[in-house]
Amino acid sequence: MDMAGFAENTFVVIMAGGIGSRFWPFSRNNHPKQFHDVLGMGESMIQTTVRRFTGLCPISNIYIVTNREYAHLVRQHLPQLQDEQLLQEPIGRNTAPCIAYACFKIAQRNPEANIVVAPADHVILKEEAFTIIIRQALEAASKRDILVTLGIKPTRPDTGYGYIQYLTEEHGPLQKVKNFTEKPTLETAQSFLNSGDFVWNAGIFIWNVQTILKAFQENLKELAALFEAGSPVYYTQAEPTFIDSAYSQCQNISIDYGIMEKASNVYVILCEFGWSDLGTWNSLYNLAEKNAEGNVIDGNTLLYDTQNCIIKTPQNKLVVLQGLQDYIVAEYDDVLMVCRRTDEQKVKDFVSDVKAQKEANFA
């Protein structure tokens, strides 16, 4: 394989437009979690994600899709990127429009491009293993008319993830996808785990640009027509105006529902590389290092009779806790939240109530 030519044809699209409201009050409308150093690694999640891909392709082939109001944060965290690599959405319309925008734009620059699409806020602990898998996927997608997704071998019946069922017919790393299931009940998730032919949907996709454009044209015709019409203006000063118009006509639809669940050429690679979507406080608790009492602590604290808590508070504030078991204690930017870890699903309700009370600056 000509590695230099392969790298030149490799593009990465990083989706960085979400708010991550389940991580409130840490993740906020004005500062979502992808722009935080959630794991205390010395770099934000979006910086980690970009660094993870820099060995696969030139930095000029990495595109960030984000909400226009976060463009200044992207520039602040990733000053090495050019303006043309920053795709600004005027409004959020889920993953299908943002992927269509990026893929039609990349096709205009390189019609032979092989593309990796990944979220900006996922954790991958085994980066070397991840890179090997991505290279395998890119090689397969460059040779075959297939849409590839990554499936994580499940370790528990998690109801917060989507699942992929695959057919065990293929030899090698690729398995043909049978169907997708979004966030099942606990009973269903347990049956998936028991069956052995289900994996978690990591939300990471790999395909050749011509394959995905064809899939858009077959499954989301109106969306394809919208972004194909932009081909003459991509990489010009007219692009933002065109995108404003296109997004005002876009339906709100995910790539999973719009394409992956309908297409007949979807394959999954079964993976193990220390993955988490880091969607909730409990997912951070499960990943992070714990002290002898089972506490995860990021802050200046004095703890008494406190076990199995996750505490994330400002370093310039002393926090004294006594008698807490299995709690989330989180403070960021003038909001303090104390919540039982078992009730973490209520965090979204807290955010809704804050907005309903017109306290938007706290949401």
Side-chain angles (χ1 to χ4, degrees), residues 3-249:
M3 294 306 292
F6 194 73
E8 287 297 326
N9 283 347
T10 298
F11 286 73
V12 176
V13 175
I14 295 171
M15 299 180 290
I19 295 164
S21 58
R22 290 178 295 172
F23 242 110
W24 186 83
F26 190 63
S27 188
R28 304 275 274 280
N29 276 320
N30 62 353
H31 206 106
K33 80 173 195 276
Q34 57 266 30
F35 301 107
H36 288 277
D37 179 7
V38 177
L39 288 176
M41 307 285 281
E43 58 185 2
S44 65
M45 299 196 80
I46 194 170
Q47 288 170 332
T48 301
T49 304
V50 168
R51 178 182 51 74
R52 193 180 291 138
F53 285 110
T54 49
L56 282 166
C57 67
I59 193 73
S60 58
N61 287 13
I62 296 178
Y63 288 65
I64 311 292
V65 190
T66 192
N67 192 290
R68 188 167 290 159
E69 68 177 286
Y70 303 143
H72 70 289
L73 287 170
V74 175
R75 290 192 179 102
Q76 182 185 317
H77 286 244
L78 302 168
Q80 69 272 41
L81 300 190
Q82 303 299 310
D83 279 350
E84 69 182 33
Q85 294 168 260
L86 179 52
L87 281 58
Q88 300 180 44
E89 297 183 288
I91 44 176
R93 280 289 178 261
N94 215 316
T95 52
C98 91
I99 290 171
Y101 176 15
C103 291
F104 275 98
K105 179 169 177 168
I106 289 169
Q108 189 61 21
R109 178 177 153 192
N110 184 338
E112 297 177 15
N114 302 306
I115 302 172
V116 183
V117 179
D121 56 359
H122 286 192
V123 171
I124 289 162
L125 298 176
K126 300 173 185 174
E127 296 199 341
E128 201 173 311
F130 174 76
T131 302
I132 290 167
I133 291 286
I134 292 293
R135 285 191 195 281
Q136 285 178 337
L138 283 165
E139 191 172 357
S142 69
K143 293 175 178 174
R144 297 171 63 184
D145 184 24
I146 57 175
L147 305 170
V148 182
T149 186
L150 303 189
I152 310 300
K153 292 180 181 177
T155 55
R156 60 187 182 277
D158 200 304
T159 59
Y161 292 149
Y163 285 73
I164 301 169
Q165 185 179 23
Y166 59 92
L167 301 168
T168 52
E169 297 173 347
E170 300 271 332
H171 298 291
L174 287 169
Q175 302 295 332
K176 193 158 179 33
V177 168
K178 186 176 180 183
N179 57 50
F180 288 78
T181 305
E182 270 306 301
K183 299 177 181 175
T185 63
L186 184 60
E187 188 180 0
T188 304
Q190 185 61 61
S191 72
F192 287 173
L193 206 64
N194 295 343
S195 73
D197 58 352
F198 283 82
V199 285
W200 288 334
N201 182 0
I204 299 169
F205 310 102
I206 303 95
W207 43 53
N208 178 270
V209 70
Q210 298 304 329
T211 305
I212 189 62
L213 296 196
K214 186 170 142 193
F216 270 110
Q217 284 150 358
E218 287 175 356
N219 299 289
L220 291 171
K221 292 184 177 65
E222 290 176 11
L223 202 61
L226 269 179
F227 288 100
E228 192 169 19
S231 296
V233 301
Y234 294 136
Y235 305 97
T236 75
Q237 290 182 335
E239 183 177 328
T241 304
F242 166 78
I243 288 301
D244 281 353
S245 170
Y247 268 77
S248 71
Q249 302 168 66

